[in-house]
Amino acid sequence: MISATPSVFDASLSRSGDAGIDAFVDQHAPDVEYTYYGAGKVALRDGLAGLVEPGENVLVPAYLSPAVVEPFCDLGLEPRFYAIEETLAPDFADLENRIDDDTVAIMSVNYFGFPQPGLERLASLTDEYGCYHIDDNAHGSISVADGTLLGTHGDLGITTLRKLLPVPDGAILYRVADEVKAEFSPSPLAGRAGQVTATDCRFVTTSVAETAFGSLYRSIESVLDDGANDPSSVDPGGRYEATKAPMSKLTAMVTDAADPDAIRTARRENYRTWQQVLADRDDITLFYERLPEGISPYEFPVRARDPDAFLTALHDCGVVGAHTWPILRQSVFEADSYDTATRLSQEVVTLPVHQGIEPAAIETVGDRLQR
């Protein structure tokens, strides 16, 4: 069986000697200041708090999970969605039409651990209009593209550790621009918890039970992002408020012991294995034909002609946690101007590539799919 997330006790996640996310960030982004948080949305709120005024607006891509804009609302900012292209690049004509004198920031998103197409053009646009560039890198915390750690392309950025490691929470706020560094004032939600909590213990107990009984779990993110056709079922505000806590002690321990290079290598191997076993199917289209050097994929995304049938076939072959992505904000889902984002949210199916999966298990799924 292949699940969406590995066990917290997966041996591939740790090593002896020097390791950890700190060392990886220090190596690939030595001039960037960073702070740990429990969640990326809370990190984003803290990063922007000293830079913005209520009544200003932030532009974000329409192809986005609904709770991502909640920190903007928390700061009294108006989130404005811009359309995207089929390639996931911004529709720059639409984006520029939505900029006005009150636009304080524009967000890019590195989908599935790959850099969003058009990053350089977007950076030029933010320079031209005097806006901050937010680099949302929730999916690719150890992806490095052309020598730059994803999440650090903008003036500030975030990444999410629970999408990389088998942990209950965890995120990083990156501060790149001098003004962002100078104006940053961390809230009490910044940093790491000082002790193990009951939540940590429940997470570990659940992981032990699932490992012992072979019932591999799906991440909360995967469960909530399932069913992209029903945005009314999601409570974005509630999801955001539930994340307001420092990074847990358990996450800190796993983060310090992680071996990013080994994790990236394993994820890349699993990604390439999915490419091989699905290459001849005529009912799906691979979203990324190439896996550039340095990229650590979050999932393996494909566009499916019949997503429900494909998901059913995967489930019958033992794949737990494949899902369409994402649920959209209801205002986006109902708007004709975001038809590309809506169509992609219904057609894109993501398959797990995490480091707890053996490539042989993916090959077995491929064999079963061909029967």
Side-chain angles (χ1 to χ4, degrees), residues 167-239:
V167 291
D169 59 10
I172 301 175
L173 169 68
Y174 295 122
R175 302 181 298 283
V176 183
D178 290 341
E179 184 178 0
V180 176
K181 294 176 181 178
E183 297 299 326
F184 175 64
S185 179
S187 73
L189 299 174
R192 309 177 178 205
Q195 59 187 9
V196 175
T197 66
T199 301
D200 292 337
C201 294
R202 284 195 296 271
F203 185 87
V204 172
T205 301
T206 301
S207 185
V208 170
E210 287 165 343
T211 301
F213 292 103
S215 176
L216 299 176
Y217 63 90
R218 302 172 63 187
S219 67
I220 293 175
E221 183 80 10
S222 296
V223 172
L224 290 174
D225 278 351
D226 239 349
N229 293 327
D230 187 18
S232 63
S233 66
V234 179
D235 174 15
R239 289 181 63 180

Side-chain angles (χ1 to χ4, degrees), residues 99-111:
I99 300 175
D100 62 22
D101 292 341
D102 292 323
T103 301
V104 69
I106 301 174
M107 175 186 280
S108 59
V109 175
N110 302 317
Y111 297 102

Side-chain angles (χ1 to χ4, degrees), residues 6 13 21 138-142 160-167 258 260 263-264 267 296-298 354-355:
L13 298 179
I21 298 300
H139 285 180
S141 52
I142 56 172
T160 306
L161 299 175
R162 67 182 177 81
K163 297 180 186 294
L164 175 74
L165 302 168
V167 291
I263 293 170
R264 181 168 58 183
R267 284 175 173 256
S296 176
Y298 169 48
H354 65 73
Q355 57 274 16

Side-chain angles (χ1 to χ4, degrees), residues 125-184:
L125 201 62
T126 57
D127 288 343
E128 178 183 348
Y129 285 94
C131 306
Y132 296 108
H133 176 192
I134 302 168
D135 188 7
D136 182 333
N137 187 48
H139 285 180
S141 52
I142 56 172
S143 281
V144 178
D146 298 323
T148 299
L149 179 65
L150 295 192
T152 67
H153 278 93
D155 298 298
L156 70 160
I158 56 135
T159 200
T160 306
L161 299 175
R162 67 182 177 81
K163 297 180 186 294
L164 175 74
L165 302 168
V167 291
D169 59 10
I172 301 175
L173 169 68
Y174 295 122
R175 302 181 298 283
V176 183
D178 290 341
E179 184 178 0
V180 176
K181 294 176 181 178
E183 297 299 326
F184 175 64

Side-chain angles (χ1 to χ4, degrees), residues 112-115 142-146 150 264 268 271-272 275 288-297:
F112 310 115
F114 293 73
I142 56 172
S143 281
V144 178
D146 298 323
L150 295 192
R264 181 168 58 183
R268 289 174 63 85
Y271 189 97
R272 286 191 291 262
Q275 281 183 310
Y288 301 102
E289 294 288 347
R290 293 182 58 251
L291 180 59
E293 182 180 355
I295 298 302
S296 176

Side-chain angles (χ1 to χ4, degrees), residues 5 8 55 85 91 103-104 123 175 245 313 317:
T5 49
V8 72
E85 305 284 0
D91 179 331
T103 301
V104 69
R175 302 181 298 283
C317 292

